[in-house]
Amino acid sequence: CIASFIPWRELVAASLVCLVWRGMELQDALWQLHFGNVWPRITRRRMANQGSGLPWRALFRVHWVAGNRTEDPSEEDWLDFDAARDLEAGAASPVRNEESEAAAQQELQDAVKACREEVLETKGIQVPLEVDEGHVCGRSCKYHRLPLAKDIFLCEGSGAVHRCRQREP
């Protein structure tokens, strides 16, 4: 469809011209393309999950009105790449005993401590020692990657540790 080459803002303006253009503007497949241009990562995930939910046009409006107008795919892309690489390699969770669990926990605590010290030293920001249970981590938070692993982050505001892959303890 020729309308897929028109930027979405112009498409909305053109839909006011006549009923034919209005009919094209209402096509869900067209909004799927525009949604994919603005939010490619969300589109890929929705397609992979066979999400039915809202039609693409309505979903576009919800995201746009919420102020979620762009994505910063750099962090998410490397996570997606890392997860795909693990799937391709057939990586399985290693079986751990109590000793290795304790060693892993100690290693994590040491990495969190080192990260807190580095943030304080380089940025002058004190990351809380105790996790702030009232804080809800989100897009406005700043995260610091732990040197331990590339999928573990420390929230600057709450002191909470976040792990991207759920399959690892």
Side-chain angles (χ1 to χ4, degrees):
C1 177
I2 190 75
S4 66
F5 295 101
I6 300 173
W8 71 267
R9 287 186 174 133
E10 292 179 26
L11 178 65
V12 171
S15 72
L16 301 173
V17 172
C18 68
L19 290 175
V20 174
W21 279 97
R22 177 69 178 159
M24 281 192 289
E25 188 262 342
L26 291 174
Q27 291 180 8
D28 203 44
L30 192 56
W31 283 101
Q32 180 180 352
L33 293 172
H34 290 302
F35 192 95
N37 288 334
V38 179
W39 299 285
R41 185 174 38 87
I42 297 171
T43 303
R44 284 193 310 270
R45 288 190 178 150
R46 183 172 182 203
M47 298 288 285
N49 293 334
Q50 300 295 325
S52 52
L54 289 173
W56 288 102
R57 183 176 183 266
L59 192 62
F60 188 97
R61 291 187 66 167
V62 167
H63 279 270
W64 192 262
V65 168
N68 183 9
R69 302 210 167 120
T70 60
E71 282 185 324
D72 179 18
S74 58
E75 284 293 313
E76 290 294 328
D77 281 348
W78 76 262
L79 290 172
D80 289 345
F81 174 75
D82 194 40
R85 187 184 65 209
D86 287 351
L87 285 174
E88 189 175 273
S93 277
V95 177
R96 293 187 172 167
N97 58 28
E98 289 180 23
E99 287 179 17
S100 65
E101 270 305 312
Q105 281 295 83
Q106 185 60 47
E107 189 179 7
L108 178 61
Q109 289 173 357
D110 293 343
V112 169
K113 182 180 177 186
C115 185
R116 281 189 177 108
E117 291 169 356
E118 181 183 338
V119 170
L120 180 60
E121 184 180 307
T122 59
K123 298 187 180 192
I125 297 171
Q126 180 74 39
V127 177
L129 294 173
E130 297 291 323
V131 176
D132 179 5
E133 299 296 333
H135 176 83
V136 177
C137 295
R139 286 180 157 244
S140 62
C141 294
K142 293 191 181 195
Y143 300 95
H144 302 278
R145 185 175 299 141
L146 297 184
L148 172 70
K150 49 188 171 176
D151 64 340
I152 302 174
F153 297 86
L154 178 66
C155 176
E156 191 176 278
S158 70
V161 175
H162 298 278
R163 185 179 304 257
C164 294
R165 289 188 230 148
Q166 297 298 321
R167 62 180 162 78
E168 293 180 10

